[in-house]
Amino acid sequence: MKAMILAAGKGTRVQPLTYELPKPMIPILGKPVMEYLVEHLVKFGIRDIMVNVSYLHHKIEEYFGEGQRFGAQIGYSFEGFMDENGEVMPKPIGSAGGMKKIQEFGNFFDETTLVICGDALIDLDIKSALFEHRRKGAMVSIITKEVEREKAADYGMVVMDEQGRVQSFQEKPKPEEAKSLFASTGIYIMEPEVLKLIPPDTEFDIGSQLFPLLVEKGMPFYAQKRFFNWIDIGNIRDYWAVSQSVLQGELAHMTMPGTQIREGLWVGLNTRIDWEGTTIEGPVYIGSGTHIEAGATIIGPTWIGHGSQICAGAHVERSVLFEYTRVSPGSKMNELVVHRNYSVTREGKMQHISESETEAWRDARDRRGSSRTAIKQAKAVAVA
């Protein structure tokens, strides 16, 4: 069995994290989401993995390389072009279009293949899913998971008969109009024959175009009802929720990095904590080279990236701070994701550092007394 990881999307709903990172490279417990997927595939003996890439493709390729250190063999298919100025321009051609491009180039899909989106954490029993796929004689199997009715509007819902044969789809229906409570997880098992249905040199999508075509033609297309952990990072709200879940140990196969020095507290190398007047309530991870000043308060679940600085009197609660985040003295950060120059609330409200009146955070590598923002504001006041 082979695998393909879909990784060509821009991840606009997870901005600002994807301003500088492709979505599969978003870290959970300090490790890219896609790395967990690769490890899971290898665990089930799937070592030949193709990845379609486009936006910021080099960051995926440089990190994973040829796949040797993961026990896999990884190949890439770039979707885009170079313009007249020599700039590399990403241009995704749809999930199914990407598969067709790969097939026409080198005939990669010559056996049963697992196709999976590169932006979710899973612990699917792949062996069991493959057994059901073959037992039913399916050309394509779509892995589904039951969700609560009120969440139907967040997913593509799969309508199936009693035998599991797919009859139709509903894309993010209103909860009261949902004909099914089984959501597509973006995990598919496909036979090579399905590639013949995808037109060449055409932008073509798996969910909105290929799958309806399978239903229309009456192909052996089945949905599987699976019970497994599936945590989709669809937007920044999901990312905050996922981080909270994994920090609390709700996914057994994901363990906290670093060294546990107290109940609920893990630290990286060379971390400095001034304990006088400091309160830390776990689960909390503090990255390497981070300084927690005396009098700071950190309430978990909280992740603090390496090279950060939590100043005296600062209060950080239920938040995710990326590397090199300096939280200013007396500042309060509650249920936030902080990435470089941006902070985002759990509801998805984004703020640029220049909009922070109190300059609650800034880059910890900036050792000047004031940041550029503060200096500019002071100059503006002086001129006025």
Side-chain angles (χ1 to χ4, degrees):
M1 191 178 191
K2 294 181 175 180
M4 177 176 176
I5 297 177
L6 302 172
K10 193 171 183 179
T12 54
R13 292 190 299 154
V14 200
Q15 292 175 345
L17 305 185
T18 50
Y19 285 160
E20 299 178 4
L21 286 174
K23 196 174 180 184
M25 292 299 293
I26 292 175
I28 300 290
L29 295 186
K31 200 160 73 172
V33 173
M34 187 173 136
E35 186 170 347
Y36 291 105
L37 290 176
V38 171
E39 290 174 343
H40 191 66
L41 292 171
V42 171
K43 175 184 174 182
F44 281 89
I46 303 174
R47 292 181 169 81
D48 292 345
I49 305 168
M50 277 298 299
V51 185
N52 70 326
V53 293
S54 188
Y55 176 70
L56 296 176
H57 66 100
H58 62 283
K59 296 201 172 183
I60 295 175
E61 295 163 5
E62 289 169 1
Y63 185 89
F64 288 95
E66 300 295 319
Q68 295 98 324
R69 66 191 176 95
F70 304 101
Q73 183 170 248
I74 299 177
Y76 306 94
S77 176
F78 172 69
E79 298 174 13
F81 60 94
M82 183 176 286
D83 67 12
E84 59 274 12
N85 298 316
E87 296 290 330
V88 176
M89 307 299 293
K91 188 180 180 182
I93 54 177
S95 49
M99 293 180 65
K100 187 71 171 184
K101 179 176 183 286
I102 291 169
Q103 186 70 348
E104 289 194 320
F105 184 83
N107 196 38
F108 174 76
F109 301 101
D110 57 359
E111 61 178 280
T112 306
T113 301
L114 182 74
V115 180
I116 183 168
C117 294
D119 58 359
L121 298 171
I122 65 169
D123 62 0
L124 173 70
D125 185 337
I126 297 175
K127 183 177 180 181
S128 177
L130 178 61
F131 177 83
E132 182 176 340
H133 170 81
R134 289 176 171 164
R135 178 175 61 82
K136 290 183 175 180
M139 177 183 287
V140 175
S141 293
I142 180 171
I143 309 301
T144 69
K145 183 175 174 64
E146 190 171 13
V147 299
E148 298 174 359
R149 179 169 290 276
E150 56 267 28
K151 293 185 177 180
D154 295 330
Y155 303 107
M157 308 306 292
V158 184
V159 181
M160 67 192 89
D161 63 19
E162 293 182 358
Q163 287 72 45
R165 193 154 190 147
V166 177
Q167 297 178 317
S168 63
F169 297 89
Q170 285 184 292
E171 184 60 28
K172 299 180 179 179
K174 294 180 180 179
E176 64 274 14
E177 296 176 358
K179 298 178 181 179
S180 166
L181 295 181
F182 287 89
S184 169
T185 62
I187 306 172
Y188 321 117
I189 303 175
M190 297 185 175
E191 296 301 324
E193 292 77 17
V194 75
L195 274 295
K196 298 176 183 177
L197 298 175
I198 304 172
D201 303 318
T202 304
E203 186 173 331
F204 210 72
D205 184 67
I206 291 175
S208 63
Q209 292 174 283
L210 177 60
F211 285 171
L213 185 61
L214 289 172
V215 174
E216 178 187 328
K217 290 183 174 294
M219 299 292 190
F221 180 22
Y222 290 88
Q224 297 187 15
K225 300 177 181 179
R226 288 280 156 185
F227 300 95
F228 66 106
N229 286 308
W230 168 59
I231 303 180
D232 176 42
I233 305 176
N235 53 49
I236 198 70
R237 295 188 301 275
D238 293 338
Y239 180 72
W240 182 86
V242 168
S243 299
Q244 294 293 297
S245 296
V246 297
L247 283 165
Q248 293 181 89
E250 294 179 4
L251 290 183
H253 68 290
M254 298 182 68
T255 56
M256 197 80 83
T259 301
Q260 185 171 7
I261 61 171
R262 289 190 176 188
E263 181 67 29
L265 176 58
W266 290 259
V267 300
L269 293 175
N270 204 38
T271 296
R272 174 181 170 185
I273 302 176
D274 299 332
W275 284 104
E276 185 177 353
T278 295
T279 299
I280 300 179
E281 298 178 9
V284 169
Y285 174 79
I286 300 172
S288 63
T290 291
H291 182 193
I292 310 298
E293 294 185 0
T297 299
I298 305 171
I299 308 297
T302 288
W303 172 277
I304 299 174
H306 65 261
S308 296
Q309 180 183 9
I310 312 301
C311 295
H315 184 104
V316 180
E317 184 169 353
R318 292 166 60 81
S319 295
V320 178
L321 311 184
F322 276 62
E323 63 273 11
Y324 299 112
T325 299
R326 178 185 186 274
V327 182
S328 302
S331 295
K332 293 187 177 182
M333 318 214 69
N334 185 34
E335 298 188 343
L336 292 178
V337 175
V338 178
H339 181 254
R340 305 289 176 87
N341 292 327
Y342 294 88
S343 69
V344 190
T345 68
R346 62 176 296 186
E347 292 80 21
K349 183 179 179 181
M350 186 164 58
Q351 182 184 49
H352 189 268
I353 191 170
S354 63
E355 301 170 329
S356 174
E357 295 180 0
T358 59
E359 200 178 56
W361 82 98
R362 60 185 172 95
D363 195 316
R365 293 168 291 193
D366 188 346
R367 295 305 182 186
R368 296 170 297 175
S370 299
S371 70
R372 288 188 178 92
T373 302
I375 292 171
K376 287 180 179 179
Q377 290 174 343
K379 288 182 177 179
V381 171
V383 171

